[in-house]
mmCIF file of all heavy atoms in Angstrom:
data_model
loop_
_atom_site.group_PDB
_atom_site.id
_atom_site.type_symbol
_atom_site.label_atom_id
_atom_site.label_comp_id
_atom_site.label_asym_id
_atom_site.label_seq_id
_atom_site.Cartn_x
_atom_site.Cartn_y
_atom_site.Cartn_z
ATOM 1 N N MET A 29 87.737 15.483 -55.297
ATOM 2 C CA MET A 29 86.957 14.256 -55.033
ATOM 3 C C MET A 29 87.676 13.435 -53.981
ATOM 4 O O MET A 29 88.856 13.175 -54.052
ATOM 5 C CB MET A 29 86.841 13.477 -56.341
ATOM 6 C CG MET A 29 85.903 12.341 -56.316
ATOM 7 S SD MET A 29 84.183 12.746 -56.305
ATOM 8 C CE MET A 29 83.485 11.143 -56.443
ATOM 9 N N PHE A 50 91.725 3.048 -24.701
ATOM 10 C CA PHE A 50 92.028 2.200 -23.537
ATOM 11 C C PHE A 50 90.784 2.023 -22.669
ATOM 12 O O PHE A 50 90.495 0.907 -22.180
ATOM 13 C CB PHE A 50 93.145 2.902 -22.724
ATOM 14 C CG PHE A 50 93.562 2.096 -21.532
ATOM 15 C CD1 PHE A 50 94.268 0.895 -21.677
ATOM 16 C CD2 PHE A 50 93.168 2.485 -20.262
ATOM 17 C CE1 PHE A 50 94.632 0.181 -20.589
ATOM 18 C CE2 PHE A 50 93.549 1.771 -19.166
ATOM 19 C CZ PHE A 50 94.282 0.572 -19.316
ATOM 20 N N ILE A 57 79.863 -0.925 -16.525
ATOM 21 C CA ILE A 57 78.656 -0.186 -16.887
ATOM 22 C C ILE A 57 77.502 -0.695 -16.027
ATOM 23 O O ILE A 57 77.281 -1.896 -15.927
ATOM 24 C CB ILE A 57 78.336 -0.396 -18.395
ATOM 25 C CG1 ILE A 57 79.594 -0.105 -19.253
ATOM 26 C CG2 ILE A 57 77.181 0.451 -18.800
ATOM 27 C CD1 ILE A 57 79.596 -0.809 -20.560
ATOM 28 N N LYS A 77 70.174 -1.385 -20.184
ATOM 29 C CA LYS A 77 69.523 -0.063 -20.456
ATOM 30 C C LYS A 77 69.348 0.688 -19.137
ATOM 31 O O LYS A 77 69.459 0.167 -18.055
ATOM 32 C CB LYS A 77 68.167 -0.279 -21.103
ATOM 33 C CG LYS A 77 67.160 -1.005 -20.245
ATOM 34 C CD LYS A 77 65.766 -0.949 -20.862
ATOM 35 C CE LYS A 77 64.721 -1.490 -19.877
ATOM 36 N NZ LYS A 77 63.378 -1.465 -20.428
ATOM 37 N N TYR A 123 81.080 -6.540 -24.658
ATOM 38 C CA TYR A 123 81.503 -7.931 -24.525
ATOM 39 C C TYR A 123 81.701 -8.133 -23.029
ATOM 40 O O TYR A 123 82.727 -7.695 -22.481
ATOM 41 C CB TYR A 123 82.717 -8.211 -25.329
ATOM 42 C CG TYR A 123 82.401 -8.171 -26.797
ATOM 43 C CD1 TYR A 123 82.415 -6.964 -27.489
ATOM 44 C CD2 TYR A 123 82.081 -9.349 -27.515
ATOM 45 C CE1 TYR A 123 82.086 -6.878 -28.839
ATOM 46 C CE2 TYR A 123 81.747 -9.270 -28.846
ATOM 47 C CZ TYR A 123 81.742 -8.064 -29.505
ATOM 48 O OH TYR A 123 81.390 -7.996 -30.834
ATOM 49 N N LEU A 129 75.381 -8.302 -9.547
ATOM 50 C CA LEU A 129 74.111 -7.577 -9.219
ATOM 51 C C LEU A 129 74.519 -6.257 -8.575
ATOM 52 O O LEU A 129 75.439 -6.179 -7.769
ATOM 53 C CB LEU A 129 73.276 -8.396 -8.273
ATOM 54 C CG LEU A 129 72.415 -9.484 -8.923
ATOM 55 C CD1 LEU A 129 71.908 -10.459 -7.866
ATOM 56 C CD2 LEU A 129 71.272 -8.877 -9.724
ATOM 57 N N GLY A 133 69.580 -4.943 -6.440
ATOM 58 C CA GLY A 133 69.546 -6.202 -7.157
ATOM 59 C C GLY A 133 70.330 -7.263 -6.374
ATOM 60 O O GLY A 133 69.868 -8.361 -6.176
ATOM 61 N N LYS A 157 55.739 -23.073 14.412
ATOM 62 C CA LYS A 157 55.006 -21.833 14.753
ATOM 63 C C LYS A 157 54.333 -22.012 16.064
ATOM 64 O O LYS A 157 53.540 -22.929 16.280
ATOM 65 C CB LYS A 157 53.948 -21.537 13.674
ATOM 66 C CG LYS A 157 54.486 -21.448 12.243
ATOM 67 C CD LYS A 157 55.184 -20.146 11.984
ATOM 68 C CE LYS A 157 55.621 -20.059 10.519
ATOM 69 N NZ LYS A 157 56.869 -19.272 10.360
ATOM 70 N N VAL A 169 57.622 -5.238 22.692
ATOM 71 C CA VAL A 169 57.752 -4.628 21.374
ATOM 72 C C VAL A 169 59.208 -4.316 21.075
ATOM 73 O O VAL A 169 59.877 -3.641 21.887
ATOM 74 C CB VAL A 169 56.907 -3.355 21.275
ATOM 75 C CG1 VAL A 169 57.016 -2.735 19.887
ATOM 76 C CG2 VAL A 169 55.448 -3.612 21.653
ATOM 77 N N ALA A 172 61.791 0.796 16.776
ATOM 78 C CA ALA A 172 62.416 2.070 17.075
ATOM 79 C C ALA A 172 61.554 2.871 18.037
ATOM 80 O O ALA A 172 60.331 2.747 18.034
ATOM 81 C CB ALA A 172 62.605 2.862 15.779
ATOM 82 N N VAL A 178 55.897 2.458 16.542
ATOM 83 C CA VAL A 178 55.726 2.277 17.998
ATOM 84 C C VAL A 178 54.432 2.982 18.461
ATOM 85 O O VAL A 178 53.711 2.423 19.278
ATOM 86 C CB VAL A 178 56.985 2.783 18.767
ATOM 87 C CG1 VAL A 178 57.149 4.275 18.678
ATOM 88 C CG2 VAL A 178 56.909 2.309 20.204
ATOM 89 N N ARG A 219 63.698 -12.690 28.289
ATOM 90 C CA ARG A 219 64.110 -12.808 29.690
ATOM 91 C C ARG A 219 63.053 -12.270 30.634
ATOM 92 O O ARG A 219 62.829 -12.762 31.740
ATOM 93 C CB ARG A 219 65.400 -12.052 29.958
ATOM 94 C CG ARG A 219 66.661 -12.865 29.614
ATOM 95 C CD ARG A 219 67.906 -12.210 30.200
ATOM 96 N NE ARG A 219 68.183 -10.941 29.566
ATOM 97 C CZ ARG A 219 68.809 -10.780 28.414
ATOM 98 N NH1 ARG A 219 69.233 -11.831 27.755
ATOM 99 N NH2 ARG A 219 69.035 -9.574 27.893
ATOM 100 N N LEU A 220 62.324 -11.237 30.183
ATOM 101 C CA LEU A 220 61.257 -10.672 30.997
ATOM 102 C C LEU A 220 59.990 -11.504 30.974
ATOM 103 O O LEU A 220 59.022 -11.218 31.678
ATOM 104 C CB LEU A 220 60.931 -9.244 30.523
ATOM 105 C CG LEU A 220 61.988 -8.182 30.839
ATOM 106 C CD1 LEU A 220 61.588 -6.856 30.200
ATOM 107 C CD2 LEU A 220 62.090 -8.008 32.328
ATOM 108 N N ALA A 259 56.249 -7.519 12.041
ATOM 109 C CA ALA A 259 55.482 -6.444 11.418
ATOM 110 C C ALA A 259 56.512 -5.486 10.825
ATOM 111 O O ALA A 259 56.926 -4.509 11.419
ATOM 112 C CB ALA A 259 54.653 -5.721 12.461
ATOM 113 N N ASP A 270 59.680 -12.242 8.528
ATOM 114 C CA ASP A 270 58.239 -12.522 8.447
ATOM 115 C C ASP A 270 58.008 -14.066 8.236
ATOM 116 O O ASP A 270 57.079 -14.589 8.732
ATOM 117 C CB ASP A 270 57.634 -11.795 7.223
ATOM 118 C CG ASP A 270 57.523 -10.300 7.493
ATOM 119 O OD1 ASP A 270 57.164 -9.955 8.625
ATOM 120 O OD2 ASP A 270 57.771 -9.513 6.564
ATOM 121 N N PRO A 278 50.737 -7.614 8.524
ATOM 122 C CA PRO A 278 51.065 -6.769 7.359
ATOM 123 C C PRO A 278 51.638 -5.395 7.788
ATOM 124 O O PRO A 278 52.419 -4.826 7.065
ATOM 125 C CB PRO A 278 49.743 -6.624 6.641
ATOM 126 C CG PRO A 278 48.688 -7.021 7.585
ATOM 127 C CD PRO A 278 49.314 -8.002 8.512
ATOM 128 N N VAL A 288 46.899 -8.312 20.831
ATOM 129 C CA VAL A 288 46.114 -7.911 21.974
ATOM 130 C C VAL A 288 44.661 -8.133 21.688
ATOM 131 O O VAL A 288 44.158 -7.618 20.688
ATOM 132 C CB VAL A 288 46.413 -6.435 22.338
ATOM 133 C CG1 VAL A 288 45.594 -6.018 23.534
ATOM 134 C CG2 VAL A 288 47.903 -6.241 22.571
ATOM 135 N N GLU A 295 34.907 -9.375 27.713
ATOM 136 C CA GLU A 295 33.937 -9.231 28.786
ATOM 137 C C GLU A 295 32.537 -9.596 28.305
ATOM 138 O O GLU A 295 31.817 -10.271 28.999
ATOM 139 C CB GLU A 295 33.986 -7.847 29.372
ATOM 140 C CG GLU A 295 35.205 -7.623 30.237
ATOM 141 C CD GLU A 295 35.132 -6.292 30.987
ATOM 142 O OE1 GLU A 295 34.832 -5.287 30.347
ATOM 143 O OE2 GLU A 295 35.416 -6.318 32.196
ATOM 144 N N ALA A 300 27.996 -13.226 28.021
ATOM 145 C CA ALA A 300 27.114 -14.071 27.195
ATOM 146 C C ALA A 300 27.172 -15.505 27.670
ATOM 147 O O ALA A 300 26.107 -16.189 27.729
ATOM 148 C CB ALA A 300 27.592 -14.032 25.729
ATOM 149 N N ARG A 328 -3.411 -36.173 41.754
ATOM 150 C CA ARG A 328 -4.566 -35.685 42.429
ATOM 151 C C ARG A 328 -5.782 -36.504 42.112
ATOM 152 O O ARG A 328 -6.610 -36.809 42.967
ATOM 153 C CB ARG A 328 -4.783 -34.205 41.997
ATOM 154 C CG ARG A 328 -5.528 -33.403 43.088
ATOM 155 C CD ARG A 328 -5.712 -32.025 42.652
ATOM 156 N NE ARG A 328 -6.426 -32.016 41.376
ATOM 157 C CZ ARG A 328 -6.719 -30.912 40.704
ATOM 158 N NH1 ARG A 328 -6.370 -29.757 41.167
ATOM 159 N NH2 ARG A 328 -7.388 -30.961 39.554
ATOM 160 N N THR A 341 -19.470 -36.582 47.036
ATOM 161 C CA THR A 341 -20.399 -35.939 46.075
ATOM 162 C C THR A 341 -21.520 -36.957 45.689
ATOM 163 O O THR A 341 -22.692 -36.594 45.652
ATOM 164 C CB THR A 341 -19.645 -35.511 44.838
ATOM 165 O OG1 THR A 341 -18.484 -34.834 45.219
ATOM 166 C CG2 THR A 341 -20.493 -34.649 43.916
ATOM 167 N N LEU A 350 -32.763 -39.416 48.136
ATOM 168 C CA LEU A 350 -33.454 -40.104 49.248
ATOM 169 C C LEU A 350 -34.469 -39.150 49.892
ATOM 170 O O LEU A 350 -35.646 -39.507 50.139
ATOM 171 C CB LEU A 350 -32.417 -40.563 50.246
ATOM 172 C CG LEU A 350 -32.923 -41.530 51.341
ATOM 173 C CD1 LEU A 350 -33.318 -42.859 50.703
ATOM 174 C CD2 LEU A 350 -31.846 -41.749 52.385
ATOM 175 N N ASP A 379 -69.796 -32.922 67.024
ATOM 176 C CA ASP A 379 -70.879 -32.673 66.100
ATOM 177 C C ASP A 379 -72.242 -32.942 66.755
ATOM 178 O O ASP A 379 -73.283 -32.373 66.357
ATOM 179 C CB ASP A 379 -70.735 -33.545 64.855
ATOM 180 C CG ASP A 379 -69.736 -32.934 63.870
ATOM 181 O OD1 ASP A 379 -69.188 -31.799 64.186
ATOM 182 O OD2 ASP A 379 -69.459 -33.530 62.838
ATOM 183 N N LYS A 380 -72.182 -33.805 67.756
ATOM 184 C CA LYS A 380 -73.426 -34.121 68.445
ATOM 185 C C LYS A 380 -74.025 -32.925 69.103
ATOM 186 O O LYS A 380 -75.228 -32.779 69.267
ATOM 187 C CB LYS A 380 -73.151 -35.189 69.577
ATOM 188 C CG LYS A 380 -72.543 -36.481 68.991
ATOM 189 C CD LYS A 380 -73.625 -37.470 68.556
ATOM 190 C CE LYS A 380 -72.937 -38.795 68.195
ATOM 191 N NZ LYS A 380 -73.521 -39.457 67.045
ATOM 192 N N GLU A 400 -70.219 -37.204 91.557
ATOM 193 C CA GLU A 400 -69.227 -37.148 92.603
ATOM 194 C C GLU A 400 -68.188 -36.121 92.340
ATOM 195 O O GLU A 400 -67.485 -35.649 93.216
ATOM 196 C CB GLU A 400 -68.493 -38.512 92.726
ATOM 197 C CG GLU A 400 -69.412 -39.676 93.056
ATOM 198 C CD GLU A 400 -70.230 -39.558 94.338
ATOM 199 O OE1 GLU A 400 -69.728 -38.875 95.276
ATOM 200 O OE2 GLU A 400 -71.297 -40.139 94.411
ATOM 201 N N VAL A 402 -68.409 -33.016 91.464
ATOM 202 C CA VAL A 402 -68.702 -31.631 91.926
ATOM 203 C C VAL A 402 -69.532 -31.685 93.228
ATOM 204 O O VAL A 402 -70.194 -32.670 93.482
ATOM 205 C CB VAL A 402 -69.455 -30.823 90.881
ATOM 206 C CG1 VAL A 402 -68.538 -30.453 89.701
ATOM 207 C CG2 VAL A 402 -70.680 -31.550 90.386
ATOM 208 N N GLN A 422 -77.313 -26.905 91.922
ATOM 209 C CA GLN A 422 -78.300 -26.663 92.914
ATOM 210 C C GLN A 422 -78.387 -27.888 93.831
ATOM 211 O O GLN A 422 -78.395 -27.772 95.033
ATOM 212 C CB GLN A 422 -79.631 -26.420 92.270
ATOM 213 C CG GLN A 422 -79.620 -25.208 91.375
ATOM 214 C CD GLN A 422 -79.656 -23.886 92.130
ATOM 215 O OE1 GLN A 422 -80.020 -23.826 93.351
ATOM 216 N NE2 GLN A 422 -79.256 -22.806 91.492
#
Side-chain angles (χ1 to χ4, degrees):
Chain A
M29 189 74 176
F50 182 71
I57 308 154
K77 64 170 189 181
Y123 291 85
L129 279 166
K157 304 283 184 211
V169 181
V178 68
R219 275 193 294 278
L220 287 174
D270 288 322
V288 179
E295 285 189 313
R328 206 180 56 182
T341 312
L350 190 67
D379 280 358
K380 303 271 188 218
E400 301 301 332
V402 289
Q422 300 285 340

